[in-house]
Amino acid sequence: MTPMIDVVFLLIIFFLVSSHLARQESRLPVELPVAESHAPLDLEPVSMTVTINQDQQILIGGTPIAIEALRPLLLEIRNRDGSAASLRVRTDAVVPYQVVEPVLHAAAIAGVLDIKLAVKDPR
């Protein structure tokens, strides 16, 4: 019985830490671009969130990474989640598309085709 309780406590700690990291990603300060037409906010969790800040840094979990380091992570997500693999891209409104395009291209090469671009409503 004691080992089972230990396992349960470890699982609880794991889920608490992972949910904290997921919430932290969406709190990175980014001024999202405005979109006139968009789909309503999807509350389904995504496999990975990539943030591009106003300094044009690519961030995962608040940690800057190079585009070359993003490709293996996307492949890992695709292998783990299969066709359900999804990506949320959060960019600052001042970031030019030429910085976002390599992220989208890397996702397409890795086979992650469910990509959500985070925008804000003009209202």
Side-chain angles (χ1 to χ4, degrees):
M1 187 69 166
T2 302
M4 189 168 112
I5 292 172
D6 290 343
V7 169
V8 169
F9 280 132
L10 287 174
L11 286 173
I12 290 171
I13 290 170
F14 170 77
F15 287 120
L16 286 173
V17 170
S18 63
S19 69
H20 174 72
L21 291 176
R23 279 183 273 138
Q24 180 183 6
E25 180 69 33
S26 64
R27 291 183 183 158
L28 289 173
V30 174
E31 185 62 36
L32 296 175
V34 176
E36 290 296 325
S37 64
H38 58 83
L41 179 64
D42 186 8
L43 298 177
E44 292 264 335
V46 293
S47 302
M48 179 188 292
T49 299
V50 174
T51 303
I52 304 174
N53 64 13
Q54 65 183 3
D55 299 329
Q56 300 182 5
Q57 291 179 311
I58 299 171
L59 306 166
I60 294 183
T63 305
I65 65 163
I67 190 69
E68 294 79 23
L70 179 62
R71 291 184 181 115
L73 292 173
L74 290 167
L75 281 170
E76 182 181 319
I77 294 292
R78 171 69 173 143
N79 291 336
R80 184 189 71 201
D81 295 347
S83 63
S86 60
L87 176 69
R88 178 176 292 128
V89 179
R90 301 176 68 239
T91 64
D92 200 278
V94 299
V95 174
Y97 180 74
Q98 67 190 23
V99 177
V100 179
E101 191 273 334
V103 173
L104 301 176
H105 183 72
I109 295 294
V112 178
L113 304 178
D114 183 8
I115 300 172
K116 298 165 176 59
L117 299 174
V119 296
K120 81 178 166 183
D121 195 343
R123 293 173 252 149

